[in-house]
Amino acid sequence: MGTYAGLVGLAAAVGRRRGARLPERFSLADTALLAVATHKASRLLTKSSIASALRAPFTRYEEPAGEAELNESVRADNGVQHAVGELVTCPFCTGVWMAGGLTAGLVLAPRATRLVITALTAVAGSDYLHLAYAAAKKHVAE
């Protein structure tokens, strides 16, 4: 929690130094993109097989967990390792960090952040289309 608070403080200090001003409100489109991008980014970090190497120092492989996702348990070797393991295996926990970072990005670097959240949203949409396609093929085969 201290690290999160420190990063929020750092983002606020950077914003103040740059003269960035908080928007009165975010548009519905930005909020929707941010929600889907946060979901996708947190799933990529916490569950994807491709990011398992990043989680490996903090987790132990358990089993596959569906389409390109893994179940992993947290290593309990020491306090910091365990705390990071909890964070990198929980999409709900990581979602708070992702949303905070992406929201700060919308204030500090809106064009670049919109590019990133649009790409993450497109990947999430593609995932759902892949799952729908597989379900349709299975339905036809039955």
Side-chain angles (χ1 to χ4, degrees):
M1 288 176 52
T3 302
Y4 184 82
L7 289 172
V8 169
L10 178 63
V14 168
R16 178 172 288 194
R17 185 155 173 84
R18 286 186 177 179
R21 299 184 48 89
L22 293 176
E24 288 235 359
R25 66 182 60 88
F26 285 103
S27 70
L28 183 58
D30 278 344
T31 303
L33 283 174
L34 184 62
V36 176
T38 296
H39 166 77
K40 186 59 192 173
S42 65
R43 298 296 300 183
L44 281 171
L45 180 62
T46 63
K47 296 292 182 184
S48 72
S49 55
I50 196 78
S52 65
L54 299 174
R55 296 186 304 272
F58 312 102
T59 63
R60 284 188 177 81
Y61 172 80
E62 295 289 328
E63 62 192 357
E67 302 297 325
E69 290 193 345
L70 305 174
N71 280 331
E72 295 165 317
S73 60
V74 176
R75 291 180 188 263
D77 297 342
N78 66 54
V80 172
Q81 187 179 35
H82 182 81
V84 173
E86 290 287 345
L87 179 64
V88 300
T89 58
C90 174
F92 297 97
C93 306
T94 301
V96 173
W97 289 70
M98 292 294 178
L102 294 172
T103 300
L106 282 174
V107 173
L108 299 173
R111 289 179 64 180
T113 303
R114 281 191 186 93
L115 175 69
V116 170
I117 64 177
T118 298
L120 285 167
T121 299
V123 172
S126 174
D127 289 350
Y128 287 110
L129 290 171
H130 286 302
L131 293 170
Y133 180 79
K137 276 180 56 175
K138 183 178 177 182
H139 179 72
V140 168
E142 291 175 350

